[in-house]
Amino acid sequence: MQDKPIFRITKSTKISVLSGAGISAESGIPTFRSADGLWNDANLVKLATPRGFLADPERGWEFYDKRRQNMAACKPNHAHLSLAQMEKDGYDITVITQNIDRLHQRAGSTGVIELHGTVWELKCSNPSCAMSPFENHDVPLKEKYPICDYCHSPLRPNVVFFEEMLDEKVVRAANARTLDTDLFLVIGTSGIVYPAAGFAELAKMNGAYVVELNIEETQLTYFCDETRLGKCGETLPALLEEFTGGEYKFISG
Ligand code: BJW
């Protein structure tokens, strides 16, 4: 059997990354669907739905406040940092993330497309309220749950709960970039949640070279050109060095 050709990255290669919870696992942020993942507790899954959160905003905020405290204490790891360094070195790289933790931005990546929003913004839970989402970094939160100044409804994190539509502009941006990609890296996601997982399929259908980096095979593995098993904090810097033929060297310091 013939060996697969090694993909070669140059500065004109358009690289896109679809990242999921696994990229932040080595920073200490729990994933959702692993053996000790957040979604093993069905009650927590309910809190990540619009109805579940609003039914008990105090409990909802207890869940998100704890996670914000953890996220604030965590640092970007080698996977986030290697992508940011790639961008700084002049490579054309865009991160499309499902993560709400902002670790890509803290590592130095710019123009990150946040498919599922961010926990560092709050918005009003009343869809008819005119208040716009705003930054909030209070850790822990000052109150049991924050209230909208305008309409007095509970505020909520500006994240995409299950059964909610993703922001149309965000989806359009992710779609456009995916269709304009030579190398598509699928990092640390189970590929279960749509429409996010669909971007990896779209990239493949559009002719991109698709590489998955995960500690185990996923339901996306079958169509990827390569799957590299292992912790992405190790496999990603190694892959970037390999695909640039050594032109890019990750500096971990
Ligand atoms: C490592 C590693 C290391 C570990 N190195 N790797 C049937 C009924 C109802 C709905 C649906 C349905 N079928 C489809 C839907 C739609 C639904 C969906 O996809 N559901 C599936 C679960 C079936 N999607 C939606 O609801 C979306 N909206 C939508 O479709 O609107 C239309 C609609 C309207 C009304 C009804 C139905 C549809 C919205 C999805 C929003 C997802 N929100 C969450 C929560 C965000 C806020 C929060 O964090 O609290 O987003 S859920 C959660 O899953 C989070 C994540 O972004 C997302 C994806 O998870 P991810 O990142 O892949 O994490 P894991 O844990 O699954 O995987 C981690 C991976 O890392 C694993 O593979 C590990 O092996 C790996 N790993 N360590 C490398 N060191």
Side-chain angles (χ1 to χ4, degrees):
M1 209 171 70
Q2 209 189 339
D3 277 343
K4 276 190 188 148
I6 293 178
F7 190 92
R8 185 68 211 260
I9 295 176
T10 65
K11 295 225 164 139
S12 60
T13 306
K14 293 200 160 118
I15 309 164
S16 301
V17 173
L18 175 68
S19 66
I23 202 169
S24 296
E26 288 158 68
S27 294
I29 299 177
T31 62
F32 297 97
R33 297 172 183 83
S34 51
D36 54 353
L38 294 173
W39 285 178
N40 285 323
D41 181 343
N43 292 320
L44 296 185
V45 182
K46 272 191 214 139
L47 294 177
T49 66
R51 255 170 302 162
F53 185 89
L54 269 185
D56 192 346
E58 192 172 322
R59 211 145 160 262
W61 267 115
E62 200 185 311
F63 174 53
Y64 281 96
D65 189 30
K66 253 194 213 148
R67 289 174 65 200
R68 278 163 50 115
Q69 291 181 41
N70 180 42
M71 286 172 191
C74 290
K75 292 200 178 88
N77 64 53
H78 285 186
H80 303 103
L81 292 168
S82 60
L83 294 172
Q85 192 197 313
M86 229 15 212
E87 182 187 334
K88 205 165 156 230
D89 287 358
Y91 291 91
D92 183 348
I93 185 158
T94 295
V95 177
I96 303 168
T97 190
Q98 299 169 79
N99 298 344
I100 60 173
D101 56 33
R102 289 245 170 108
L103 285 187
H104 284 296
Q105 291 92 329
R106 281 176 55 196
S109 288
T110 64
V112 177
I113 300 174
E114 293 178 318
L115 288 176
H116 295 160
T118 174
V119 80
W120 299 114
E121 280 179 12
L122 307 190
K123 68 176 183 182
C124 185
S125 58
N126 168 7
S128 318
C129 179
M131 184 198 253
S132 304
F134 62 95
E135 291 281 322
N136 174 292
H137 294 262
D138 296 344
V139 169
L141 274 178
K142 292 194 177 109
E143 52 283 270
K144 278 197 176 146
Y145 66 89
I147 296 288
C148 175
D149 287 343
Y150 293 85
C151 74
H152 308 297
S153 302
L155 293 173
R156 51 166 281 187
N158 189 17
V159 299
V160 182
F161 288 145
F162 278 120
E163 300 164 19
E164 286 188 314
M165 304 301 267
L166 279 68
D167 183 276
E168 204 184 310
K169 273 199 213 130
V170 169
V171 172
R172 241 189 267 135
N175 212 61
R177 177 63 194 196
T178 301
L179 292 175
D180 191 20
T181 290
D182 304 306
L183 173 65
F184 195 91
L185 305 176
V186 187
I187 308 177
T189 178
S190 57
I192 284 171
V193 172
Y194 282 80
F199 291 112
E201 292 164 347
L202 183 63
K204 177 66 187 164
M205 284 190 292
N206 199 50
Y209 191 72
V210 181
V211 183
E212 178 180 56
L213 301 166
N214 203 302
I215 50 171
E216 60 187 24
E217 292 194 346
T218 71
Q219 60 182 40
L220 306 179
T221 303
Y222 79 94
F223 68 77
C224 291
D225 293 289
E226 290 183 39
T227 291
R228 301 208 173 184
L229 296 179
K231 290 184 175 179
C232 61
E234 292 158 16
T235 57
L236 179 59
L239 175 131
L240 296 174
E241 289 187 4
E242 180 189 323
F243 278 13
T244 56
E247 267 174 40
Y248 163 87
K249 284 248 175 288
F250 176 56
I251 305 154
S252 67

